[in-house]
């Protein structure tokens, strides 16, 4: 399987790897078929993603997707990020091999779950006022 230079760069030098202690949005997804797992940790202030980290267990494409997604979302409004699709991620990576397209789904799905957890926490705080 051949990966392009963008994918290889993000695999060899992944950006934003790790965990955020102050994360107010956490999303985890996995694929039972291939065994890939991704957890995204977001620090969101005033609906803007100010920092993002992730932990990924998976193939080179899964790692590259996580890295690219983290770069794409930092500094963005959460509602803008919720509109991103797996095609947007694949396109930024210069295209994934067909058998690895599911990896781009995991990346954006984990981020969307993290945003949903942030929104649920924000809603809970509003209810308690």
């Amino acid at each position: 399987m051949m990966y392009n230079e963008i994918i290889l760069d993000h695999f060899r030098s992944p950006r934003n790897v790790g965990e955020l202690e102050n994360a107010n949005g956490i999303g985890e997804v996995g694929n039972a078929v291939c065994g890939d797992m991704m957890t995204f940790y977001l620090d969101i202030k005033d609906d803007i993603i100010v920092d993002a980290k992730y932990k990924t267990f998976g193939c080179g494409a899964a790692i590259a997707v996580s890295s690219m997604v983290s770069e794409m979302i930092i500094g963005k409004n959460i509602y803008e990020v919720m509109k991103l699709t797996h095609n947007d991620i694949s396109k930024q990576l210069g295209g994934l091999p067909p058998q690895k397209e599911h990896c781009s789904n995991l990346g954006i799905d984990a981020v969307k779950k993290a945003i949903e957890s942030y929104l649920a926490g924000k809603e809970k705080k509003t209810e308690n006022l």
Side-chain angles (χ1 to χ4, degrees):
M1 177 175 340
M2 294 292 293
Y3 290 126
N4 66 43
E5 279 306 310
I6 299 169
I7 295 170
L8 290 174
D9 179 48
H10 278 272
F11 169 68
R12 291 179 184 136
S13 303
R15 286 70 150 174
N16 304 306
V17 176
E19 193 172 325
L20 288 173
E21 286 183 28
N22 60 337
N24 53 3
I26 300 173
E28 184 175 71
V29 296
N31 183 314
V33 176
C34 67
D36 290 350
M37 292 286 302
M38 292 180 189
T39 305
F40 263 85
Y41 305 88
L42 304 180
D43 180 13
I44 303 169
K45 289 186 178 61
D46 299 321
D47 294 342
I48 302 294
I49 299 171
V50 294
D51 201 2
K53 300 263 188 242
Y54 62 88
K55 288 187 176 178
T56 296
F57 174 82
C59 64
I63 292 166
V65 163
S66 299
S67 177
M68 178 59 81
V69 168
S70 72
E71 285 198 322
M72 290 175 68
I73 65 172
I74 293 174
K76 299 277 191 310
N77 182 286
I78 59 172
Y79 300 104
E80 183 182 339
V81 171
M82 289 296 275
K83 293 177 185 173
L84 289 173
T85 68
H86 69 277
N87 288 332
D88 296 325
I89 311 309
S90 182
K91 190 184 220 180
Q92 284 294 314
L93 284 165
L96 288 163
Q99 63 271 38
K100 294 297 181 177
E101 280 290 333
H102 67 275
C103 297
S104 63
N105 291 335
L106 289 178
I108 200 59
D109 289 349
V111 166
K112 287 179 180 181
K113 277 192 168 190
I115 291 171
E116 288 167 3
S117 80
Y118 160 77
L119 290 171
K122 186 176 165 184
E123 191 174 292
K124 200 174 257 186
K125 282 182 186 174
T126 304
E127 288 174 2
N128 292 333
L129 292 179

